[in-house]
Amino acid sequence: MLRGLRRLHRFEKRILEIARSDEKLVSIHQHGFSRKTEGGFRFPIYGLSIGTTSALKKHPVGIVAGVHGLETIGIRILLDFLYHCLNNPDFFPEIHKGKIGIHAMPMVNPGGVALRRRSNPAGVDLMRNSGVEAEKSMPFFGGHQFSNRLPYFRGKGLEPESRTLYRFVYESFFHAKDSLIPVIDVHSGFGSVDHVWWPYAGTKEPCRDDALFQAMGRFFRIQAGHSQLNFGPQSESYTTHGDLWDLFYDHYWKLHEKQKKWKSRFLPLTLEVGTWSDLKEKPGRMFNRKNIFNPDSPRKRETIERYRKFLRDLFRTALTKEKDWSLG
Ligand SMILES: [Zn+2]
């Protein structure tokens, strides 16, 4: 646990540094606690809000990472992005001009980071934990109820980390009016290509915003120069039980579907940074389990910079309307 704790503290230190770097534009919140470890630790789950009060309310966008404790490249991408938004005013001027506000949860599963494992301290895979039943999930990998000693365990009921994330998403994004609301969850480790997925993970049924997502995907690939990214519904890659974003997305629509004039669109996306391509160059790395999920140093920097621009371009979607995308 010690090495994992050191890593956790390095990330926490960076979160606090970002919070201190601009007291007018940044606020830090503690949204909840992790599940207790066997040694009795409970780790705080932090959130950072960046932007003016009115921008955070009118045009909020979101980024979360660290849902899986081993996928620390996502936490780095997130922290690097926030740092650049604040310290390089030309990079994302909409933040400084009060047009867009970012709600971030940099480490959803701090206990997993400290213990150096994918699951939370109770052995639950948070992305299998929502209780949503998939139509035809992949056996085992798609989530199971056998034992918390095996990966991809679904758990029983929402874990504290899942509830904390849900409350954060609900409070930050569910009530914003007349805005497109992109919210991205950064992961790593599936295959050698980079994916950007939208709902659903649990069914191949298209979600109600499928046409809008498709148009956005085409735009980012072809016109915005992010051709390395593969866009699609998550179930196109694989189907799983218990995806939290499936649950949040359906709750969002349950809340708003009866309001005829509801123009906002909650657009959850999962960015899966493909890192398996490293293994071809250095097969020895395969024996170190954490390296499968994280590219090594020069690659790490390059990856982080590549995503910085994509995140900014994605968040600019907040200032567009659904009809702007209809000809996509
Ligand atoms: Zn993941």
Side-chain angles (χ1 to χ4, degrees):
M1 170 130 153
L2 266 183
R3 267 173 57 205
L5 265 183
R6 273 205 294 274
R7 174 186 281 166
L8 176 75
H9 288 153
R10 271 201 305 275
F11 287 137
E12 283 182 339
K13 205 174 139 210
R14 286 186 65 190
I15 292 170
L16 296 173
E17 275 165 12
I18 288 172
R20 272 201 306 265
S21 68
D22 189 332
E23 279 168 21
K24 271 196 190 143
L25 223 49
V26 189
S27 58
I28 185 165
H29 315 268
Q30 197 213 299
H31 290 279
F33 279 100
S34 75
R35 185 70 106 114
K36 238 185 218 171
T37 64
E38 277 175 16
F41 288 95
R42 285 203 309 163
F43 303 100
I45 303 171
Y46 294 107
L48 290 164
S49 295
I50 297 180
T52 62
T53 314
S54 116
L56 284 162
K57 205 169 159 224
K58 281 188 191 152
H59 290 298
V61 300
I63 180 165
V64 310
V67 165
H68 291 136
L70 291 174
E71 297 166 16
T72 51
I73 184 75
I75 303 170
R76 289 169 205 273
I77 289 172
L78 180 152
L79 293 173
D80 166 88
F81 175 72
L82 297 185
Y83 179 88
H84 271 265
C85 289
L86 287 163
N87 292 285
N88 180 359
D90 298 331
F91 170 67
F92 200 171
E94 290 91 333
I95 302 293
H96 298 264
K97 288 180 185 161
K99 293 185 175 160
I100 293 175
I102 306 171
H103 293 285
M105 186 168 273
M107 244 186 313
V108 175
N109 178 14
V113 174
L115 295 164
R116 290 190 293 149
R117 63 191 204 194
R118 176 181 169 96
S119 66
N120 79 344
V124 176
D125 186 328
L126 300 175
M127 266 312 143
R128 305 288 184 274
N129 181 230
S130 78
V132 174
E133 286 292 320
E135 271 172 15
K136 268 187 205 160
S137 98
M138 283 179 74
F140 188 65
F141 173 77
H144 64 81
Q145 298 281 26
F146 302 128
S147 160
N148 66 352
R149 298 187 176 274
L150 297 168
Y152 317 117
F153 180 60
R154 296 174 63 180
K156 291 172 185 71
L158 282 182
E159 288 295 304
E161 294 87 346
S162 304
R163 271 186 273 125
T164 301
L165 179 61
Y166 187 25
R167 216 167 38 239
F168 163 77
V169 167
Y170 180 87
E171 286 165 6
S172 310
F173 311 114
F174 275 29
H175 306 293
K177 284 183 182 152
D178 302 325
S179 187
L180 298 190
I181 308 161
V183 177
I184 194 157
D185 178 11
V186 190
H187 289 251
S188 64
F190 180 77
S192 56
V193 264
D194 300 333
H195 289 273
V196 179
W197 288 316
W198 59 79
Y200 288 107
T203 171
K204 290 197 188 292
E205 246 350 84
C207 73
R208 58 193 293 165
D209 295 304
D210 195 73
L212 174 58
F213 279 121
Q214 298 279 2
M216 284 170 59
R218 273 195 300 277
F219 172 79
F220 290 118
R221 266 183 83 91
I222 298 160
Q223 285 167 41
H226 302 291
S227 57
Q228 83 281 6
L229 299 168
N230 276 327
F231 292 82
Q234 179 158 351
S235 57
E236 218 170 72
S237 295
Y238 55 75
T239 311
T240 62
H241 295 296
D243 187 279
L244 287 170
W245 299 104
D246 280 8
L247 177 78
F248 302 164
Y249 182 78
D250 281 348
H251 278 194
Y252 181 81
W253 275 115
K254 215 171 172 181
L255 196 67
H256 295 301
E257 66 191 349
K258 293 209 175 90
Q259 294 155 277
K260 286 237 162 56
K261 287 189 179 143
W262 188 258
K263 289 198 187 76
S264 285
R265 295 292 177 264
F266 170 60
L267 304 170
L269 293 160
T270 296
L271 168 61
E272 187 98 346
V273 178
T275 58
W276 290 2
S277 55
D278 283 6
L279 299 175
K280 279 181 220 142
E281 294 147 40
K282 293 177 192 168
R285 299 184 67 234
M286 197 129 95
F287 299 106
N288 184 335
R289 68 194 165 113
K290 84 172 202 290
N291 281 347
I292 298 177
F293 300 97
N294 295 287
D296 50 13
S297 278
R299 268 288 302 271
K300 211 177 257 172
R301 281 248 61 82
E302 189 203 311
T303 309
I304 286 169
E305 281 164 26
R306 199 151 33 97
Y307 289 110
R308 204 182 281 158
K309 279 196 179 139
F310 168 66
L311 292 171
R312 180 199 58 191
D313 294 351
L314 173 72
F315 289 158
R316 283 180 168 156
T317 306
L319 299 178
T320 65
K321 302 268 178 221
E322 194 184 5
K323 64 175 166 47
D324 299 339
W325 297 90
S326 57
L327 295 173

